[in-house]
Amino acid sequence: MKFALPSIVPGLTLLLASGPGQVYAWGMKGHEAVGFIAMKFLAPEASKFVQTSLRGSQYHSSLGLAAPWADEVRRQKGYAWTAPLHFVDAEDDPPTSCSVNPTRDCTGHGCILTAIANYTSRVVDTSLDDSERQEALKFIDHFIGDIGQPLHVEGIDRGGNGIHVTCAGRKSNLHSVYDGIIDKLLDDQYDSSVIQWVDSLVNRIKVHWITCQPGSGFIQRSVNAQTMLTLDSNSFGDDDTLNCPLVWAKESNAYDCSFVWTYDSYDDLCSDENEYYSGAVPIIESQIAKQGYRLAAWLNVLFDGETSLP
Ligand SMILES: *[C@@H]1O[C@H](CO)[C@@H](O)[C@H](O)[C@H]1NC(C)=O
Ligand SMILES: [Zn+2]
């Protein structure tokens, strides 16, 4: 459909659609999709932890509903320090050359790579209280989504936020176009429903999307805070909590060279008559599906000792 109809999505999504606010990354729908996909693949212990940790009326025990939380709080004073944890500013040169180099790109108080490692060790740390572990779970839920967005693994113009383009007839920026494309895709093909989109993606998911499987020693090896702040290639080599996010980051970042910069600045990038739109949809769909699947694998290894995927 061409015009914006009021959302007729059932319950949950409407509930979440409150407050426009600023959109980040995949936007709320992309993050919800990653969480809802992961819910379909959780092993028994991981599922039990998620159900308990996220119980109550706010999240209804769902990673889907809890996934956008990290974007909501980053605007609050007490959480402003978490803003840099949503990305890694790769100082590469797309579309000519793409790379992620933790020593070069993950500086200061850390980045998405160290954040995933940090919250991975915290979510299984029984010396923390329930609310701290819930917070760790919500950060993992969110960051494993963000790391699949090519512009979250790119430093140029603040991850494309400073690059002006057009989306659905409106002025936008390259970073936000990835949101706009999800909105249009859902309106056009999935009745504006994240749930319908998730069902379709889950049917298309294949096992080899995990790419990087944390080894069995990964749970015991709590990540040393000092290691995280003084990153070198050694810390990445033998620690899967750092290594897997790096593998995923490189995969996302490679899209900055193969696709993200292939737009024509005069085009409307969110129009289905445009090649950019039709090229972006399969990339976005596979990135969202993979991150949802990887999130489930990650939690399954943490709580059940193996990926336990079909
Ligand atoms: C890990 O997370 C906690 C809780 O958010 C935070 O206080 C701490 O600074 C983080 N540590 C590192 C090394 O990122
Ligand atoms: Zn984010």
Side-chain angles (χ1 to χ4, degrees):
M1 65 197 101
K2 272 256 152 64
F3 16 76
L5 289 172
S7 172
I8 45 160
V9 198
L12 297 178
T13 317
L14 267 185
L15 210 94
L16 278 167
S18 57
Q22 198 179 338
V23 285
Y24 298 103
W26 290 127
M28 186 184 283
K29 291 175 188 170
H31 279 291
E32 283 175 22
V34 169
F36 283 130
I37 289 168
M39 291 302 291
K40 310 252 184 191
F41 297 101
L42 290 181
E45 293 303 318
S47 176
K48 204 188 292 173
F49 178 77
V50 167
Q51 304 267 347
T52 312
S53 182
L54 300 176
R55 67 178 177 259
S57 57
Q58 197 175 2
Y59 303 125
H60 294 277
S61 292
S62 170
L63 290 168
L65 300 182
W69 171 84
D71 272 343
E72 287 149 22
V73 296
R74 68 194 249 175
R75 280 169 256 151
Q76 297 166 13
K77 218 171 172 189
Y79 282 95
W81 65 275
T82 63
L85 305 182
H86 292 247
F87 51 82
V88 51
D89 269 342
E91 305 213 353
D92 54 356
D93 187 21
T96 314
S97 84
C98 280
S99 61
V100 183
N101 177 336
T103 326
R104 178 193 65 190
D105 306 326
C106 189
T107 51
H109 296 290
C111 68
I112 193 164
L113 304 170
T114 51
I116 291 174
N118 186 27
Y119 293 108
T120 295
S121 54
R122 289 175 69 85
V123 80
V124 289
D125 184 345
T126 48
S127 73
L128 298 177
D129 64 35
D130 289 350
S131 66
E132 290 170 307
R133 291 180 72 191
Q134 189 210 55
E135 199 167 280
L137 179 64
K138 289 186 291 184
F139 275 127
I140 295 170
D141 188 8
H142 185 89
F143 295 148
I144 290 186
D146 272 346
I147 204 168
Q149 213 276 42
L151 289 162
H152 271 246
V153 189
E154 185 47 66
I156 290 199
D157 284 303
R158 294 175 294 117
N161 274 293
I163 299 175
H164 304 290
V165 293
T166 305
C167 174
R170 285 193 237 157
K171 284 188 183 153
S172 183
N173 66 67
L174 193 56
H175 194 102
S176 303
V177 157
Y178 281 75
D179 254 8
I181 290 177
I182 289 180
D183 284 342
K184 178 171 169 51
L185 174 68
L186 295 194
D187 288 349
D188 286 0
Q189 293 184 34
Y190 299 101
D191 218 2
S192 307
S193 161
V194 175
I195 306 292
Q196 281 187 27
W197 188 34
V198 165
D199 287 343
S200 163
L201 290 174
V202 164
N203 286 333
R204 290 183 266 159
I205 279 175
K206 293 288 181 299
V207 177
H208 42 263
W209 279 359
I210 306 177
T211 323
C212 183
Q213 283 197 29
S216 50
F218 148 96
I219 313 159
Q220 284 76 24
R221 202 163 38 227
S222 78
V223 186
N224 178 304
Q226 201 49 42
T227 313
M228 281 191 255
L229 296 174
T230 52
L231 292 175
D232 57 42
S233 40
N234 294 333
S235 29
F236 279 81
D238 53 57
D239 188 332
D240 286 328
T241 58
L242 286 168
N243 184 38
C244 289
L246 181 59
V247 170
W248 302 335
K250 287 179 174 169
E251 185 185 287
S252 293
N253 170 267
Y255 284 116
D256 292 317
C257 282
S258 65
F259 182 77
V260 174
W261 262 267
T262 61
Y263 63 92
D264 182 323
S265 17
Y266 298 100
D267 286 349
D268 186 327
L269 308 190
C270 304
S271 148
D272 46 16
E273 282 139 39
N274 194 281
E275 278 174 23
Y276 195 82
Y277 177 81
S278 49
V281 165
I283 294 173
I284 289 173
E285 288 202 307
S286 81
Q287 287 300 95
I288 291 281
K290 278 191 275 187
Q291 294 314 120
Y293 204 61
R294 287 165 174 173
L295 173 58
W298 199 253
L299 296 173
N300 291 350
V301 171
L302 285 176
F303 292 97
D304 296 75
E306 54 185 0
T307 50
S308 312
L309 292 168

mmCIF file of all heavy atoms in Angstrom, residues 1-5 187:
data_model
loop_
_atom_site.group_PDB
_atom_site.id
_atom_site.type_symbol
_atom_site.label_atom_id
_atom_site.label_comp_id
_atom_site.label_asym_id
_atom_site.label_seq_id
_atom_site.Cartn_x
_atom_site.Cartn_y
_atom_site.Cartn_z
ATOM 1 N N MET A 1 0.834 -1.209 0.000
ATOM 2 C CA MET A 1 0.000 0.000 0.000
ATOM 3 C C MET A 1 0.857 1.241 0.000
ATOM 4 O O MET A 1 1.941 1.277 0.575
ATOM 5 C CB MET A 1 -0.985 -0.053 1.169
ATOM 6 C CG MET A 1 -0.364 -0.022 2.526
ATOM 7 S SD MET A 1 -1.448 -0.555 3.875
ATOM 8 C CE MET A 1 -0.906 -2.218 4.156
ATOM 9 N N LYS A 2 0.325 2.278 -0.579
ATOM 10 C CA LYS A 2 1.127 3.476 -0.788
ATOM 11 C C LYS A 2 1.024 4.482 0.349
ATOM 12 O O LYS A 2 1.953 5.208 0.623
ATOM 13 C CB LYS A 2 0.697 4.167 -2.103
ATOM 14 C CG LYS A 2 1.468 3.597 -3.307
ATOM 15 C CD LYS A 2 2.538 4.595 -3.718
ATOM 16 C CE LYS A 2 3.731 4.009 -4.377
ATOM 17 N NZ LYS A 2 3.951 3.370 -5.472
ATOM 18 N N PHE A 3 -0.138 4.566 0.985
ATOM 19 C CA PHE A 3 -0.273 5.602 2.016
ATOM 20 C C PHE A 3 -0.216 5.007 3.402
ATOM 21 O O PHE A 3 -0.448 3.824 3.584
ATOM 22 C CB PHE A 3 -1.573 6.393 1.829
ATOM 23 C CG PHE A 3 -2.556 5.726 0.937
ATOM 24 C CD1 PHE A 3 -3.306 4.643 1.368
ATOM 25 C CD2 PHE A 3 -2.681 6.151 -0.391
ATOM 26 C CE1 PHE A 3 -4.186 4.022 0.513
ATOM 27 C CE2 PHE A 3 -3.561 5.517 -1.239
ATOM 28 C CZ PHE A 3 -4.322 4.443 -0.802
ATOM 29 N N ALA A 4 0.091 5.849 4.348
ATOM 30 C CA ALA A 4 0.237 5.365 5.722
ATOM 31 C C ALA A 4 -1.122 5.128 6.344
ATOM 32 O O ALA A 4 -1.902 6.048 6.556
ATOM 33 C CB ALA A 4 1.017 6.384 6.535
ATOM 34 N N LEU A 5 -1.434 3.899 6.604
ATOM 35 C CA LEU A 5 -2.667 3.571 7.306
ATOM 36 C C LEU A 5 -2.355 3.463 8.788
ATOM 37 O O LEU A 5 -1.245 3.122 9.155
ATOM 38 C CB LEU A 5 -3.200 2.224 6.822
ATOM 39 C CG LEU A 5 -3.762 2.199 5.415
ATOM 40 C CD1 LEU A 5 -4.059 0.768 5.009
ATOM 41 C CD2 LEU A 5 -5.017 3.037 5.345
ATOM 42 N N ASP A 187 5.028 -2.485 6.035
ATOM 43 C CA ASP A 187 3.749 -1.979 5.529
ATOM 44 C C ASP A 187 3.347 -2.701 4.247
ATOM 45 O O ASP A 187 2.200 -3.068 4.057
ATOM 46 C CB ASP A 187 3.847 -0.475 5.244
ATOM 47 C CG ASP A 187 3.899 0.346 6.528
ATOM 48 O OD1 ASP A 187 3.646 -0.235 7.608
ATOM 49 O OD2 ASP A 187 4.195 1.547 6.443
#
